[in-house]
Structures are given as C-alpha cells and as structure tokens.
Amino acid sequence: MDRRRFLNASALLGGATLLAPHAARAQAPALITRDGMRPQMPSGVQSGDPLADAAVVWTRGDRPSRMWLEWSTTASFANTQRVRGPHLLPDTDFTGRIDLRQLPPGQEIFYRVMLQDLHNERVMSEPLQGHLRLPGAAGRSPLRNVRFCWSGDTMGQGWGINPAWGGIGIYEQIRRLSPDFFLHSGDTIYADSPIPAEIKLANGDIWKNLVTEEVSKVAETLDEYRGRYRYNLMDEHIRHMSAEVPQIWQWDDHEISNNYSDSKDVSADARYKEKNVPLLVARGTRAFMEYAPMRRFGDEEVERVYRHLPQGPLLDVFVLDMRSYRGPNGANLETEENATSAFLGRTQVDWLLDGLRRSKSVWKVIAADMPIGLQVGDGKDASGRDKWEAIANGDNGAPRGREIEIARLLRGIKQLGLHNVVWLTADVHYTAAHYFEPARAQFNDFLPFWEFVSGPLHAGGFGPNKADATFGMQVMYEKAPKEANSPPSDGLQFFGQVDIDARTRALTVTLKDLTGASLYSKTLEPRRA
C-alpha cells in the first residue's frame, strides 16, 4: 500500500489511538517526513510459536521507539485490528515482540508493524508487512493438510553471507513451499565461529563473505552475541522467509560456544579474552531470548526453551532443550541416573511424558536439538577417555550415562502406548533417516520409532557419524560430504519437509537439498494404541 495513503488512513481510522496511549490527549495526524528521518526496521519482521489462536510477532528498530501492529484476516487489511506493543530501547538492542492473542483459529493472518519515534511521537516508520497461517483448533472441521519444514545450523564454520553466491538461498527454497511453520532445530547462530572476509576453496576459488565487526571474532560481549543475530538477518532470503513463515526456534550449543556444558573450559583458547564461561552463557542466553520469535514464560523460568506447541488435531509439537539441564560432558558411562548423567533433566522428561499422555493429536513430533543414536564426540578427558557431547557413548551395550535417562523416556512412551511419535533433529551437519527397532537393540523396552536428521542450513558439511547400538538404530538413508567442513557451494546443505494428509492422516517426511530437490521420502501410517 502507498505509504502516504497508509498513514493518512491510520490517522482517519483512529490515529489518536495509534499515536498516543491516552485517549484524552489530542494528536495531530502522523507527520510525513523523509524516509531517512523515520524509524527503520533493518532486521525485518518475524513471527513465531503459532497456536490455534495466537502467535508472536517480532521486530528490531534502529532507535528508541514504540512498536505498533495492525492485523487482519485479509490481504487488503479490511476490518483491521490495532495493537500497541512495547518500547524498543537499547537494553534489548531495540528488539521487541507482541504476543497476539484471541486470533480467529485456523485463519491466515496478515500483519504490518510500525514504529513510533520516541523523540517525536508524530513520526512513524513505514509499515513492514508479514503473514502467518494459524493451525486449526481441536473440534473444528474440515481438517486441512499440514506442512512444515525443519533444519538447523546457520552461519557455521566461517561460511557467511556471500552475495556473489546468492546469499542464503536455502531459506528461499523453504519459503516457496509455503509451510505452516519452520522449525529451526538449534545452532541459530555460531557465536564461536569467526567469519573471515575470504576463504580459499579446494578448487582454488575464493569464497567472499560480508563481514561485520561483531562476527569477525568469537562472541564474548553481549553486543557481539547480538551482532550474530543481526548479521543473519542481513540476508534478504532469511528476512523474506521470516516475514512469511512462522518459526519455532530451539537452541543448541553454538548460541553460546561449541559443545558447552558444565565442563566447558576456554582457559586455553587464545581466541577468548573472557574466560568466565557462565558469563558467556548469560550473555549468549540474553541475546537468544531477545532475538528468538518465541513466547516467553513467566518469572518462574524466564529463560525456558522447552515447550509444547499444539498444531491442531493432526499434530502436536514438543520442543526440547538438550542443553540447559545436562550434566558435564564426560565419559558418559554412569551406571545410574544422577546429576552427572542428566541430559534433559528429570523435570523435562516428566513434562514430556505428561504432555504426550495428554495429547489428542494424531502425530506427536519431538523436536530435538541432538540425535539419539549417533556418536558425537567432545575430545578426551584428563584420563584420555573419550568425552561425549550427545546421548550415545560408543559403548554399544546396555544403557549407561545419558542413555539411562533416554531409556526411561522411551519406556514411558511405550507404557503410554504411543506409536505415532516421530523425532526430528539436526546438529550433525548432514541428512539421514534412522529407524529404531527393539529387536536389534541392547535395550528393547520401547516401541519402534523413526528419527529424521536434516542440516546444515548454511554451515560446513560433516559426517556421517558412527551409530551406537544401544537402542537398535538402523541407518535407512544418509547423505554426507566426503570431506569435513564442506563449503555450502558443494551443495551439501539440507532441510526436511513434513506433510500430514488430512484425509488419510498419513505423515510423509521428505529430505531435501538446498535446490529443493527431494533425496529421500518415507510415509508413515498412523497406528492406534
């Protein structure tokens, strides 16, 4: 819509309400001024954590301002609803969000965000438009098909925005599929991977990155962590997808530092001047919470990431946090469940089992930031034993270490009689389909299930990782580079697509590459308890 028409219409349709919180205070129409004088939203707009009647809308400004939002169920913005949002100030890096509630279930929502300059309340930004699709509510008909995509790992191993290569085009491939939402499975940034101006490729070509001061070194200060998110949103494909497709974010390690846990030590890492790991965790956590388009929890746990996001009668999504409650990375060979062997933590496991028990949806997707049966190492301990970053410990026997907790979870799912549980993850920088079969497992008190792996979105390619036999994991498909840290230009960047047919209730997972080409597909038929 023409900017002048939009602002004039806003003034005529209640500009006093838009421009001032106090109804009794008279306001002149919004002041028309040069674009450069208006507040800007350089990182665009995002939406996230969709529910049947709610969604979060996020933006970042360039100056002290107030966020305003208008939404409608039509692209023409007929019958517009207006919402006053928070002040965007330096203490949040000028980020802010509005948790829209009481939206019409299952509807397309068109929204536009504006910023009101706090130095001159008559000056408004141009509107930035976005779109999202809400899931249907339980009990409503007719059902519609569900489609969503997932992947992880953005801007890792020094591979940044290369304009000559076209930027981060895999996000555009996802946008074109018009999914109901996109699940980012962690490593939303790489705070520990400096992005250089140039990288020489194996064929002699030069990969040229856009570089900002904040991404040129490991992140240590709060502004450097924030700068990683600002950098990602410099890419037009990421901004474009973020404005059109709601996202569900989770995190893993690189939002803070590689493989961090209570045993993380950077004292010998010359890249870090700040050696206090808890302080790095605090700063990285703060930046993630500011930039993630996610719904916040209350004061009882303001930094909580694990959450349940119902997506209608066909789908429930359970987002896990495999980072915040784990014990130290170590040999992972404990013989009983304790604080050292913790991975999800007892509270989160109990929450997940209770949510699965209560779920009425046909399919239950567990969004995990790490795979169950792949061996992911973390160097050696002081005794020369292997340390482990994920669940598996390479022992191939009965559950030990973190596997004990996962065994209890899988046993609990069996006791609930839930066959329609699917695990989705990323982390290992290649794509794969895994089938867990009790008859092949050392621990077999669980129902068979599938786990699908996809990533990276834009990072070095690695793998494949060795499989651990404890839970009987079978590799049904995998595609990985032959050389470690394969550049994005090699084409080994991946995402997954999930489709649920409203008529048959069948769930189909398709693994895709950065061109959108389908590599592998598996259709799962729903089963009754």
Side-chain angles (χ1 to χ4, degrees), residues 80-311:
T80 300
Q81 303 293 314
R82 182 176 293 119
V83 181
R84 183 180 71 174
H87 292 112
L88 311 186
L89 298 170
D91 64 332
T92 62
D93 203 26
F94 302 110
T95 65
R97 74 201 66 203
I98 296 174
D99 189 359
L100 292 175
R101 298 282 184 161
Q102 298 181 333
L103 299 174
Q107 292 291 306
E108 304 259 356
I109 302 296
F110 301 87
Y111 65 88
R112 51 195 177 198
V113 177
M114 298 144 288
L115 300 185
Q116 178 184 14
D117 194 330
L118 295 182
H119 293 110
N120 185 341
E121 292 184 326
R122 295 178 62 202
V123 174
M124 300 292 293
S125 72
E126 289 193 83
L128 280 187
Q129 294 193 13
H131 160 269
L132 60 96
R133 185 185 300 115
L134 296 171
R140 289 178 177 256
S141 60
L143 292 180
R144 68 164 187 258
N145 296 340
V146 174
R147 168 175 290 179
F148 70 94
C149 298
W150 94 94
S151 187
D153 317 305
T154 304
M155 305 296 187
Q157 289 73 49
W159 306 107
I161 302 170
N162 182 348
W165 191 64
I168 320 302
I170 195 169
Y171 278 84
E172 173 62 13
Q173 295 296 336
I174 295 169
R175 186 196 68 82
R176 290 178 181 177
L177 293 170
S178 189
D180 296 308
F181 63 89
F182 172 65
L183 168 64
H184 199 304
S185 302
D187 295 337
T188 53
I189 60 166
Y190 275 73
D192 56 299
S193 293
I195 296 177
E198 295 184 351
I199 302 175
K200 187 174 182 180
L201 304 179
N203 64 3
D205 290 345
I206 302 297
W207 176 279
K208 295 185 178 182
N209 289 313
L210 289 177
V211 179
T212 65
E213 181 180 355
E214 292 81 11
V215 304
S216 64
K217 61 181 291 295
V218 297
E220 299 174 271
T221 68
L222 177 56
D223 190 59
E224 288 166 352
Y225 279 106
R226 289 166 166 170
R228 288 280 170 169
Y229 296 97
R230 294 195 296 263
Y231 179 84
N232 288 12
L233 290 165
M234 289 170 60
D235 180 78
E236 62 178 340
H237 303 302
I238 293 179
R239 292 198 309 276
H240 197 183
M241 192 213 76
S242 299
E244 291 194 20
V245 180
Q247 298 181 72
I248 298 174
W249 277 25
Q250 59 190 146
W251 64 3
D252 192 27
D253 57 330
H254 292 288
E255 284 83 0
I256 309 296
S257 183
N258 184 47
N259 293 355
Y260 87 88
S261 71
D262 284 348
S263 62
K264 183 68 177 181
D265 184 358
V266 298
S267 60
D269 191 334
R271 302 177 306 164
Y272 286 90
K273 296 179 181 178
E274 178 55 70
K275 305 297 186 181
N276 184 336
V277 173
L279 186 56
L280 296 176
V281 172
R283 290 168 176 168
T285 299
R286 171 71 179 269
F288 176 85
M289 293 297 170
E290 290 172 343
Y291 276 82
M294 61 180 281
R295 187 169 290 106
R296 289 173 171 150
F297 285 86
D299 290 341
E300 69 277 6
E301 194 175 7
V302 294
E303 296 171 355
R304 176 172 155 180
V305 172
Y306 71 88
R307 58 204 190 276
H308 172 213
L309 295 169
Q311 298 299 300

